[in-house]
Amino acid sequence: MIIVLKRDIDEKGVNSLIGEITGNYEVQVQPIKGSECTVLGLVGDTSKIVVEELGSDERIHKVMRVREPFKKANRAFHPANSIIQIADRTIGGEEFAIIAGPCSVESEEQIVEIAKSVKTSGATFLRGGAYKPRTSPYAFQGLEEDGLDLLKLARQETGLPIVTEIMYPQTIEKFVEDVDVIQVGARNMQNFALLKELGKTNKPILLKRGLSSTIEEWLMAAEYIMAGGNDNVILCERGIRTFENYTRNTLDLSAIPAIKKLSHLPIIIDPSHATGFSYMVEPMCMAAIAAGADGVIIEVHNNPAKALCDGPQSITPARFDEVVRKMEKYTAIEGRTIRRG
Amino acid sequence: MIIVLKRDIDEKGVNSLIGEITGNYEVQVQPIKGSECTVLGLVGDTSKIVVEELGSDERIHKVMRVREPFKKANRAFHPANSIIQIADRTIGGEEFAIIAGPCSVESEEQIVEIAKSVKTSGATFLRGGAYKPRTSPYAFQGLEEDGLDLLKLARQETGLPIVTEIMYPQTIEKFVEDVDVIQVGARNMQNFALLKELGKTNKPILLKRGLSSTIEEWLMAAEYIMAGGNDNVILCERGIRTFENYTRNTLDLSAIPAIKKLSHLPIIIDPSHATGFSYMVEPMCMAAIAAGADGVIIEVHNNPAKALCDGPQSITPARFDEVVRKMEKYTAIEGRTIRRG
Amino acid sequence: MIIVLKRDIDEKGVNSLIGEITGNYEVQVQPIKGSECTVLGLVGDTSKIVVEELGSDERIHKVMRVREPFKKANRAFHPANSIIQIADRTIGGEEFAIIAGPCSVESEEQIVEIAKSVKTSGATFLRGGAYKPRTSPYAFQGLEEDGLDLLKLARQETGLPIVTEIMYPQTIEKFVEDVDVIQVGARNMQNFALLKELGKTNKPILLKRGLSSTIEEWLMAAEYIMAGGNDNVILCERGIRTFENYTRNTLDLSAIPAIKKLSHLPIIIDPSHATGFSYMVEPMCMAAIAAGADGVIIEVHNNPAKALCDGPQSITPARFDEVVRKMEKYTAIEGRTIRRG
Amino acid sequence: MIIVLKRDIDEKGVNSLIGEITGNYEVQVQPIKGSECTVLGLVGDTSKIVVEELGSDERIHKVMRVREPFKKANRAFHPANSIIQIADRTIGGEEFAIIAGPCSVESEEQIVEIAKSVKTSGATFLRGGAYKPRTSPYAFQGLEEDGLDLLKLARQETGLPIVTEIMYPQTIEKFVEDVDVIQVGARNMQNFALLKELGKTNKPILLKRGLSSTIEEWLMAAEYIMAGGNDNVILCERGIRTFENYTRNTLDLSAIPAIKKLSHLPIIIDPSHATGFSYMVEPMCMAAIAAGADGVIIEVHNNPAKALCDGPQSITPARFDEVVRKMEKYTAIEGRTIRRG
């Protein structure tokens, strides 16, 4: 950690500050006296120092962290890729994960039909919303518990592990029992109360990136779960909020190599929510594979005739099948496989 | 609501779509046939239509909402300013609210001393964090329940109503009993599970704007609380996330006239967290008053010698006193008063 | 175009406004009377109406454009892909363009050596900065005219057409004579004075997207050049400015399918400047191909020992060769070819 | 300047790098050996080192600048406020500047009438666009030279100095002769070709902040003009581009105290363009004064009946008069005066 002092701090002031720092933290301090000001280099365990707090000192101009504040999620301390085991399949290893299904679980017929269809095309996990975070309190909030039951039914019929979003901390126990991967939505990425509870379980967690979260904050959110003892974290990039409003959000595909460099955790991509356009699902899936992603999560709806209840970003099962066929060509180049069934 | 159809939809297609819409929603549809495409105007109660869902239809090019989706928070349906009563004082009326106190409650001595000091200077509410949302799981998470007890003690000593942030839904009952204003932090602005629970209480809620939330989303979050039956919502602008990183966030003071135009709810400003600099607290407080804010929330710490544990955005009690003296001149122009004691 | 009127405009007011609009513009107006307000649908040539200007009327709540404001760049009026001819090669057709070279032209030895090397690996165009836009007036501003001469020399040695950035309108004549593709940098994307002059030439223009330009503004900048009579515009996505600062900018790969849908112009990707990291060049090149780009522009430097003068986003010729080998596999899937030599 | 090395660089590598740096630049290097990596502190004149270039070295993890890269614009080297003299008035001193006038100069009658009216109300400068940067090539581009002539006429009638935007480098001579303050628009803030030319004049330059420019980049743009010898730079904040689209841009009023801290240059605010709403002009003007601005620039139009040709952000002369009356109360608190006539 580097501390830049204000211009007018004299030698006595510098020494006094060094004394305070070494008194408060287990670090050694090396001063550099420049022509304009003095800079302090802190050596040792600086992970307990909160930059904002230290920066409050009136003698300090700026505090700069040299190394990342995350540890358990840091590739520096865990060089090998993490491979998350879910039922008889994995995310983060050789297998390329394809999570598919409708935005919301609507009925037994709907979810079972979609599940069978996407499985035949090559999906390896089933997604579907039971509890829905909606911007408006007047919009449909999901089938809730009944939705979970329908997902279980679809799993029974197809063998596909299920991925669904949690919203209420009081439902954690039920989710741990019922689902295979618990999704934390973008709006809850820094709901630390929820993250802490999930850290106490050993369920795989699909942690979506917050709309305005930096890569560092995202990894710190993963760190919250891992600090509690749960290392089974899968990251999901789903678009960040920018000035551009042609697309719903801006899909940040450079986050893939960034995460691969900084962390050992797997990362998957959600092209449906990121772009908001069904016509972008195919090119963004291919780009995700080419950029090194470990999987994709795609919205598929089965009944275009009742399209009024589906999102414009959903694709049909037939289109999904074409997309998977093309994904096979791309994953082959990257030496990855798409498991069938 | 306006629906723009794709270019290639013929008259039969237009009529069939109109039939579906009037069948699904209680609206009337008026088509406009243009040279390039047809546009549908929907008249009636469109509040139950989710734009994203309707936009999914393959025949539809674009859906545009004509009016705001929020109702209870909308000034159009509630022209007079809402004035929130808290103990014997108000926010949103003639009194200008000054909420002051430390970032975190640290000890009885600290919180009581600051409370007395800020009261003498003119603060009308005491703030202090008991439960702290921290980016890092390794940082101090607050005194939690003990912090609440210390805040109550400070209230007893000074008579200042207390404002503090909630993080855990399971603590709502305790917060309702113990505190005067429950703060929802920026990171929880779209924690709909929490908002719904707070909607069931009748406590005043200080709803901070999310870092990347639009004004409309912010008012929709207020709508969540109000839809549950709790109309006591106070909005708090605390900076939005932008590309500029000299300041911690970008304080959006134009949100004040925007909120005043769109909604009847009171709005206060947090210059400390928005800018991250103590030297900006004074100018941003004055600007907030001049722009029409109903109050400010300011971080004040009492012990600069132990400054290592306070944020760089905090000001000292002496500085706070100067700021309040200057605020009195500004509020006078706006015809507002600062209540003493 | 849709005009939403304020709530309190009565029938007489509506009729009077309609009269003014039809008097000022060659359009027909169809009113829709809703329960809350009246909406006007404008049919006809609305391209001359400036939304901001019309919106100023005190009777008007909101103006919404139904169709895109660009014409010559619009795929709706030019369904086939534009293929730009440059010397004996093309951009936008079956050939995948690879533009490679150093950030700055430094010396004859440097530029000729790099040109030969990248040509052997498969580059189809040579890039190199002669006039350099630098944030600081104290930084190296390029070799200017001498740089252009060195580029011509390298072209003579290798046959590679040259691409370089223009900064000064007074150098347009020289650029038209000397270079094969004139690059307009991100900072000049809305330098309308420059765009107008380039519209009078018939040179291919590589138009970089502005750091904070929407896709619509970018296409309107292309429209400026095309309105002058020059249809040879190639778009280049090079990252947009967002809150994320791990990468230099955020590469918006969803702009590729967006541009392909909205326009007939070719689009290439600059992974070097977008990300600022050499390690991201390979994955972002592959992702660009997979997303449907027509080419890439890559920084290559030849002398890592003197690396102090090159950008951290540059790759070595050896690395470039590996990247091109991998690109060949990806372009093959997309049915495109990389021309050799 | 601080250089953080990669983890795997050994002592020999560190020494070799230090040798290269001291060989290339006139600096001394002090290494700090940490547990995880080595950090180098560079002491001396680091202004010629381009961070991006140094960061390219494969041995370097990160480069962090300790001090600002701007010099002539830096308050550290010029502690007193710069006061810019324009005719018989000043910007940056005790006088609060009010620049008012229409978006575009339309006719003699229009500009002279507005000029007289705003002068009577208290405007101290006349603004009006002769050359207009328009997003669309099909929109009105201004009266150009004729517009300049009309502005001169209005100046002759009222004595108000004139402020107008330059777009074409070839018109600089004419602007220097004809106008009192040359405005550089937001889109041209990093048009370095133009900035360099303006640096050779001694005209006051009103430098608008780019839509996505950081405060540092804005001051570096000022530095370009000052490096050429022209110290007469006035900064103008006019809103930055963010995700919020209720307002046209987001007015960053915290830029006022930031600029006052970092620089000695005067700063004024443009509430009209920043917000895009006439109803926000008054509150944002008051907030600007309260935050410490040296002036405001406001759009005023005189003919609401022909409002179709004016921006929705313009206010009427009557409204302008009310706003100035209120500004007088605010400037009085700040110890500043509004010159009449």
Side-chain angles (χ1 to χ4, degrees):
Chain A
M1 184 173 278
I2 300 294
I3 300 178
V4 183
L5 302 190
K6 293 208 173 138
R7 281 172 215 271
D8 54 1
I9 306 301
D10 62 12
E11 192 164 346
K12 208 180 130 194
V14 172
N15 290 334
S16 142
L17 182 61
I18 292 176
E20 290 171 41
I21 292 170
T22 51
N24 277 284
Y25 302 102
E26 290 186 15
V27 294
Q28 286 176 291
V29 179
Q30 295 190 21
I32 302 174
K33 284 172 193 157
S35 47
E36 287 181 15
C37 63
T38 298
V39 169
L40 305 181
L42 272 59
V43 177
D45 180 10
T46 59
S47 71
K48 279 177 193 144
I49 306 181
V50 178
V51 169
E52 295 80 32
E53 292 178 352
L54 199 61
S56 74
D57 194 286
E58 303 240 320
R59 296 160 292 185
I60 292 176
H61 171 64
K62 204 159 51 171
V63 178
M64 297 182 280
R65 204 173 259 292
V66 169
R67 288 290 168 193
E68 302 84 13
F70 44 89
K71 293 186 153 184
K72 295 203 159 200
N74 200 326
R75 189 178 281 276
F77 308 119
H78 185 307
N81 286 337
S82 276
I83 300 177
I84 313 296
Q85 188 78 37
I86 301 140
D88 60 341
R89 46 206 78 195
T90 59
I91 297 183
E94 192 217 314
E95 288 177 24
F96 186 80
I98 301 177
I99 307 172
C103 183
S104 297
V105 179
E106 291 167 24
S107 67
E108 180 180 334
E109 196 196 346
Q110 174 235 25
I111 192 68
V112 172
E113 190 183 320
I114 296 185
K116 286 182 179 171
S117 164
V118 296
K119 186 189 175 184
T120 305
S121 292
T124 50
F125 295 86
L126 175 67
R127 60 151 291 160
Y131 296 84
K132 301 295 303 171
R134 304 303 298 265
T135 308
S136 166
Y138 309 122
F140 173 55
Q141 309 274 318
L143 292 181
E144 309 201 331
E145 271 201 56
D146 292 346
L148 287 188
D149 289 341
L150 295 178
L151 282 170
K152 284 160 70 179
L153 232 148
R155 174 174 58 193
Q156 207 177 306
E157 292 279 330
T158 59
L160 292 180
I162 55 182
V163 181
T164 196
E165 180 169 352
I166 194 164
M167 284 187 63
Y168 303 93
Q170 63 267 34
T171 60
I172 284 189
E173 242 172 273
K174 188 160 179 48
F175 268 69
V176 167
E177 200 172 314
D178 285 358
V179 315
D180 300 288
V181 178
I182 302 178
Q183 178 179 319
V184 175
R187 293 180 184 82
N188 277 322
M189 194 204 84
Q190 289 194 320
N191 179 343
F192 300 125
L194 186 64
L195 299 181
K196 280 180 186 171
E197 290 304 315
L198 293 170
K200 294 176 191 161
T201 75
N202 64 352
K203 264 290 151 186
I205 309 297
L206 185 68
L207 181 66
K208 289 204 155 187
R209 182 178 181 181
L211 262 77
S212 65
S213 294
T214 62
I215 285 171
E216 186 175 303
E217 288 168 341
W218 189 17
L219 287 171
M220 287 308 283
E223 192 82 10
Y224 254 95
I225 298 167
M226 297 172 88
N230 184 356
D231 288 340
N232 299 306
V233 179
I234 302 151
L235 301 168
C236 179
E237 158 67 28
R238 42 80 70 222
I240 57 173
R241 182 158 274 184
T242 70
F243 64 83
E244 176 60 73
N245 55 16
Y246 176 76
T247 42
R248 186 186 301 160
N249 295 117
T250 299
L251 183 62
D252 179 10
L253 287 172
S254 65
I256 301 170
I259 289 293
K260 289 291 171 196
K261 181 144 202 123
L262 297 171
S263 179
H264 50 89
L265 296 174
I267 174 169
I268 69 167
I269 297 298
D270 180 345
S272 310
H273 284 89
T275 65
F277 288 117
S278 60
Y279 82 88
M280 289 193 179
V281 170
E282 181 190 304
M284 291 300 105
C285 278
M286 303 311 141
I289 297 170
D294 296 298
V296 289
I297 178 165
I298 302 176
E299 276 194 18
V300 178
H301 68 69
N302 62 335
N303 197 346
K306 275 193 63 195
L308 289 178
C309 303
D310 290 281
Q313 72 262 18
S314 291
I315 59 174
T316 60
R319 189 86 190 82
F320 176 69
D321 193 68
E322 291 167 8
V323 172
V324 179
R325 294 295 75 74
K326 191 166 179 189
M327 285 204 275
E328 286 176 330
K329 294 186 197 167
Y330 276 96
T331 50
I333 296 182
E334 295 291 323
R336 307 188 83 148
T337 53
I338 295 179
R339 175 197 180 110
R340 295 303 288 270
Chain B
M1 184 173 279
I2 299 295
I3 299 179
V4 183
L5 303 190
K6 293 208 173 138
R7 281 173 215 269
D8 53 2
I9 306 301
D10 61 12
E11 194 163 344
K12 207 181 129 193
V14 171
N15 290 335
S16 142
L17 182 61
I18 292 176
E20 290 172 40
I21 292 170
T22 51
N24 278 284
Y25 302 102
E26 292 185 11
V27 294
Q28 288 176 288
V29 178
Q30 295 189 20
I32 302 174
K33 288 180 187 148
S35 48
E36 286 182 15
C37 61
T38 298
V39 168
L40 305 181
L42 271 59
V43 177
D45 180 9
T46 58
S47 71
K48 278 176 192 144
I49 306 181
V50 177
V51 170
E52 293 81 30
E53 291 177 354
L54 200 59
S56 73
D57 194 286
E58 301 241 320
R59 295 160 292 184
I60 292 176
H61 171 64
K62 203 157 55 170
V63 178
M64 296 183 282
R65 206 174 256 293
V66 169
R67 290 290 171 193
E68 302 83 13
F70 44 89
K71 293 186 152 183
K72 296 203 158 199
N74 200 327
R75 189 178 280 277
F77 308 117
H78 185 306
N81 287 337
S82 277
I83 301 178
I84 313 295
Q85 189 77 36
I86 301 140
D88 60 341
R89 47 207 76 195
T90 59
I91 298 184
E94 191 216 315
E95 288 177 24
F96 186 80
I98 301 177
I99 307 171
C103 183
S104 297
V105 179
E106 290 168 23
S107 67
E108 180 180 336
E109 197 195 345
Q110 176 236 25
I111 192 67
V112 172
E113 191 183 319
I114 295 184
K116 286 183 178 169
S117 165
V118 296
K119 186 191 177 181
T120 306
S121 293
T124 51
F125 295 86
L126 176 66
R127 59 152 288 162
Y131 296 83
K132 301 295 301 172
R134 305 303 296 264
T135 307
S136 167
Y138 310 121
F140 174 55
Q141 309 274 319
L143 290 182
E144 309 200 330
E145 271 202 55
D146 293 346
L148 286 188
D149 289 341
L150 295 178
L151 281 169
K152 284 159 70 180
L153 230 148
R155 174 174 60 193
Q156 205 178 307
E157 291 280 330
T158 59
L160 292 179
I162 53 183
V163 181
T164 195
E165 179 169 353
I166 195 165
M167 282 186 64
Y168 302 94
Q170 63 266 34
T171 60
I172 282 189
E173 242 173 274
K174 188 159 179 51
F175 268 70
V176 167
E177 200 173 314
D178 286 358
V179 315
D180 300 288
V181 178
I182 301 178
Q183 178 179 317
V184 175
R187 291 179 185 83
N188 277 321
M189 193 203 85
Q190 289 194 320
N191 179 342
F192 301 124
L194 186 63
L195 299 180
K196 281 180 187 172
E197 290 303 315
L198 293 169
K200 295 176 191 161
T201 76
N202 64 353
K203 264 289 149 186
I205 308 297
L206 185 67
L207 181 66
K208 290 203 154 188
R209 181 179 183 183
L211 262 78
S212 65
S213 295
T214 62
I215 285 171
E216 186 176 302
E217 289 168 340
W218 190 16
L219 287 170
M220 287 308 283
E223 191 82 10
Y224 254 95
I225 298 168
M226 299 172 87
N230 184 355
D231 288 339
N232 299 305
V233 179
I234 303 151
L235 301 168
C236 178
E237 157 67 28
R238 43 80 72 222
I240 56 173
R241 182 157 273 184
T242 70
F243 65 83
E244 177 61 73
N245 55 16
Y246 176 76
T247 43
R248 187 187 300 162
N249 294 117
T250 298
L251 184 61
D252 179 11
L253 287 172
S254 64
I256 301 171
I259 289 293
K260 289 290 174 199
K261 181 142 204 126
L262 297 171
S263 178
H264 50 89
L265 296 174
I267 174 170
I268 70 167
I269 297 297
D270 179 344
S272 310
H273 283 89
T275 65
F277 288 117
S278 60
Y279 82 86
M280 289 194 179
V281 170
E282 182 191 304
M284 291 301 103
C285 278
M286 303 311 144
I289 297 169
D294 296 298
V296 288
I297 178 164
I298 302 176
E299 276 196 17
V300 178
H301 68 70
N302 63 336
N303 196 346
K306 273 193 62 192
L308 288 178
C309 304
D310 289 281
Q313 72 263 18
S314 291
I315 60 175
T316 61
R319 190 82 192 84
F320 176 69
D321 193 68
E322 293 167 9
V323 172
V324 180
R325 296 294 74 74
K326 193 168 179 187
M327 284 204 278
E328 285 174 332
K329 294 187 197 167
Y330 276 96
T331 50
I333 297 182
E334 296 292 323
R336 307 189 82 147
T337 53
I338 294 179
R339 175 197 180 108
R340 296 301 289 268
Chain C
M1 184 173 280
I2 299 294
I3 299 179
V4 184
L5 302 190
K6 292 208 175 138
R7 281 173 216 271
D8 53 1
I9 306 302
D10 61 11
E11 193 165 341
K12 206 178 131 195
V14 171
N15 290 333
S16 140
L17 183 60
I18 291 175
E20 291 172 40
I21 292 170
T22 51
N24 277 285
Y25 302 101
E26 291 185 14
V27 294
Q28 287 175 290
V29 179
Q30 296 190 21
I32 302 174
K33 283 174 192 155
S35 48
E36 288 181 13
C37 62
T38 297
V39 169
L40 305 181
L42 272 60
V43 177
D45 180 10
T46 59
S47 71
K48 278 177 193 144
I49 307 181
V50 178
V51 170
E52 295 79 33
E53 290 177 354
L54 199 60
S56 73
D57 193 286
E58 302 240 320
R59 297 160 290 184
I60 292 176
H61 171 64
K62 204 155 55 169
V63 178
M64 297 182 281
R65 204 174 259 291
V66 169
R67 290 291 168 193
E68 302 83 14
F70 43 90
K71 294 187 154 182
K72 296 203 159 199
N74 200 328
R75 190 178 281 276
F77 308 118
H78 184 307
N81 287 336
S82 276
I83 299 178
I84 314 295
Q85 187 78 37
I86 301 140
D88 60 342
R89 45 207 79 197
T90 60
I91 297 184
E94 191 217 314
E95 288 177 26
F96 186 80
I98 302 177
I99 307 171
C103 183
S104 297
V105 178
E106 292 167 23
S107 68
E108 179 180 337
E109 194 196 347
Q110 176 235 24
I111 192 68
V112 171
E113 190 184 320
I114 295 185
K116 286 182 178 170
S117 165
V118 296
K119 186 190 176 183
T120 306
S121 292
T124 50
F125 295 86
L126 175 66
R127 59 152 290 161
Y131 296 83
K132 301 295 303 171
R134 305 302 297 262
T135 308
S136 167
Y138 309 121
F140 173 57
Q141 311 273 318
L143 291 182
E144 309 199 330
E145 271 201 56
D146 292 346
L148 287 187
D149 289 341
L150 296 178
L151 281 169
K152 284 161 69 180
L153 231 147
R155 176 176 56 192
Q156 206 177 309
E157 293 280 328
T158 60
L160 292 179
I162 54 182
V163 181
T164 195
E165 179 169 354
I166 194 164
M167 285 187 63
Y168 303 93
Q170 64 266 36
T171 60
I172 283 188
E173 241 173 276
K174 187 159 180 50
F175 269 69
V176 167
E177 199 172 316
D178 285 358
V179 315
D180 300 287
V181 179
I182 301 178
Q183 178 179 319
V184 175
R187 293 180 184 82
N188 277 323
M189 193 203 84
Q190 290 193 319
N191 180 342
F192 301 124
L194 186 63
L195 299 181
K196 281 180 187 172
E197 290 303 315
L198 292 171
K200 295 176 192 160
T201 76
N202 64 353
K203 264 288 150 185
I205 309 297
L206 184 67
L207 180 65
K208 290 203 155 189
R209 181 179 182 182
L211 263 77
S212 65
S213 295
T214 61
I215 285 171
E216 186 174 304
E217 289 168 340
W218 190 16
L219 287 171
M220 287 307 283
E223 192 81 11
Y224 255 95
I225 298 167
M226 297 171 87
N230 184 355
D231 289 338
N232 300 305
V233 179
I234 302 151
L235 302 168
C236 178
E237 157 68 29
R238 43 80 71 222
I240 57 173
R241 183 157 272 184
T242 70
F243 65 83
E244 176 61 75
N245 56 16
Y246 175 76
T247 41
R248 187 187 299 160
N249 294 117
T250 298
L251 183 61
D252 179 11
L253 287 173
S254 64
I256 301 170
I259 289 293
K260 288 290 171 197
K261 182 142 203 127
L262 297 170
S263 178
H264 51 88
L265 296 174
I267 174 170
I268 69 167
I269 298 297
D270 179 344
S272 310
H273 283 89
T275 66
F277 288 116
S278 60
Y279 82 87
M280 289 193 179
V281 169
E282 181 192 304
M284 291 301 103
C285 278
M286 303 311 143
I289 297 169
D294 295 299
V296 289
I297 178 166
I298 303 176
E299 277 195 16
V300 178
H301 67 70
N302 62 334
N303 197 345
K306 274 193 64 195
L308 289 177
C309 304
D310 289 283
Q313 72 262 18
S314 290
I315 59 174
T316 61
R319 189 84 192 83
F320 175 69
D321 193 67
E322 291 166 10
V323 171
V324 179
R325 296 292 76 73
K326 193 168 179 186
M327 285 203 277
E328 286 175 330
K329 294 186 196 168
Y330 275 97
T331 50
I333 296 182
E334 297 290 326
R336 306 189 83 147
T337 52
I338 295 179
R339 175 196 180 108
R340 298 302 290 270
Chain D
M1 184 172 281
I2 299 295
I3 300 177
V4 183
L5 303 190
K6 293 208 174 138
R7 281 173 217 271
D8 54 1
I9 306 302
D10 62 11
E11 193 164 344
K12 207 180 131 195
V14 171
N15 289 335
S16 141
L17 182 61
I18 292 177
E20 291 172 39
I21 293 169
T22 52
N24 278 284
Y25 302 102
E26 290 186 14
V27 294
Q28 286 176 292
V29 179
Q30 295 189 22
I32 302 174
K33 288 177 187 151
S35 48
E36 286 180 15
C37 62
T38 297
V39 168
L40 305 181
L42 270 60
V43 178
D45 180 9
T46 59
S47 71
K48 278 174 194 148
I49 306 182
V50 177
V51 170
E52 294 80 32
E53 291 178 354
L54 200 59
S56 73
D57 194 285
E58 302 241 319
R59 294 160 294 185
I60 292 176
H61 171 64
K62 203 157 55 170
V63 178
M64 296 182 281
R65 205 173 258 293
V66 168
R67 291 290 171 192
E68 302 83 14
F70 44 89
K71 293 186 152 182
K72 294 204 160 197
N74 200 326
R75 189 177 282 276
F77 308 117
H78 184 306
N81 287 336
S82 276
I83 300 177
I84 312 297
Q85 189 77 38
I86 301 142
D88 60 341
R89 47 208 77 196
T90 59
I91 297 183
E94 192 215 313
E95 288 177 25
F96 185 81
I98 301 177
I99 307 170
C103 183
S104 296
V105 179
E106 291 166 24
S107 68
E108 179 178 336
E109 196 195 347
Q110 174 234 28
I111 191 67
V112 171
E113 190 183 319
I114 296 184
K116 286 182 178 169
S117 165
V118 296
K119 187 190 175 181
T120 307
S121 293
T124 50
F125 295 85
L126 176 66
R127 59 151 289 162
Y131 296 83
K132 302 294 302 171
R134 305 301 298 265
T135 308
S136 167
Y138 310 121
F140 174 55
Q141 310 274 319
L143 291 181
E144 309 199 331
E145 272 203 55
D146 292 346
L148 287 187
D149 288 341
L150 296 178
L151 282 170
K152 284 160 69 179
L153 231 147
R155 175 174 59 193
Q156 207 177 306
E157 292 280 329
T158 59
L160 292 180
I162 54 182
V163 181
T164 196
E165 179 169 353
I166 193 165
M167 283 187 64
Y168 302 92
Q170 62 266 36
T171 60
I172 283 189
E173 241 173 274
K174 185 158 182 53
F175 269 70
V176 167
E177 199 172 315
D178 285 358
V179 316
D180 300 287
V181 178
I182 302 177
Q183 179 179 318
V184 176
R187 292 180 185 81
N188 277 322
M189 194 203 85
Q190 290 194 319
N191 179 342
F192 301 124
L194 186 64
L195 300 180
K196 281 181 187 171
E197 290 303 315
L198 293 169
K200 294 176 192 161
T201 77
N202 64 352
K203 264 289 151 187
I205 309 296
L206 184 67
L207 181 66
K208 290 205 155 188
R209 181 179 181 182
L211 263 78
S212 65
S213 294
T214 63
I215 285 171
E216 186 174 303
E217 288 168 340
W218 190 16
L219 288 170
M220 287 308 284
E223 191 83 11
Y224 254 95
I225 298 167
M226 299 171 87
N230 184 356
D231 288 339
N232 299 306
V233 179
I234 302 151
L235 301 169
C236 178
E237 158 67 28
R238 43 82 70 222
I240 57 173
R241 182 157 273 185
T242 70
F243 64 84
E244 177 61 73
N245 55 16
Y246 176 76
T247 42
R248 186 186 302 160
N249 294 117
T250 298
L251 183 61
D252 179 11
L253 287 172
S254 65
I256 301 170
I259 289 294
K260 289 291 173 197
K261 182 143 203 125
L262 296 171
S263 179
H264 50 89
L265 296 174
I267 173 170
I268 70 167
I269 297 297
D270 179 345
S272 310
H273 283 89
T275 66
F277 288 118
S278 60
Y279 82 88
M280 289 193 179
V281 169
E282 181 191 304
M284 291 301 103
C285 277
M286 303 311 144
I289 298 170
D294 295 299
V296 288
I297 178 164
I298 302 177
E299 277 196 17
V300 179
H301 68 70
N302 61 337
N303 197 346
K306 274 192 62 192
L308 288 179
C309 303
D310 289 281
Q313 72 264 18
S314 289
I315 59 175
T316 61
R319 189 83 191 84
F320 176 69
D321 193 68
E322 292 167 9
V323 171
V324 179
R325 297 292 76 73
K326 193 167 180 189
M327 286 204 277
E328 286 175 330
K329 295 187 196 166
Y330 276 96
T331 50
I333 296 181
E334 296 291 324
R336 306 189 84 146
T337 52
I338 294 179
R339 175 196 180 110
R340 296 301 289 268

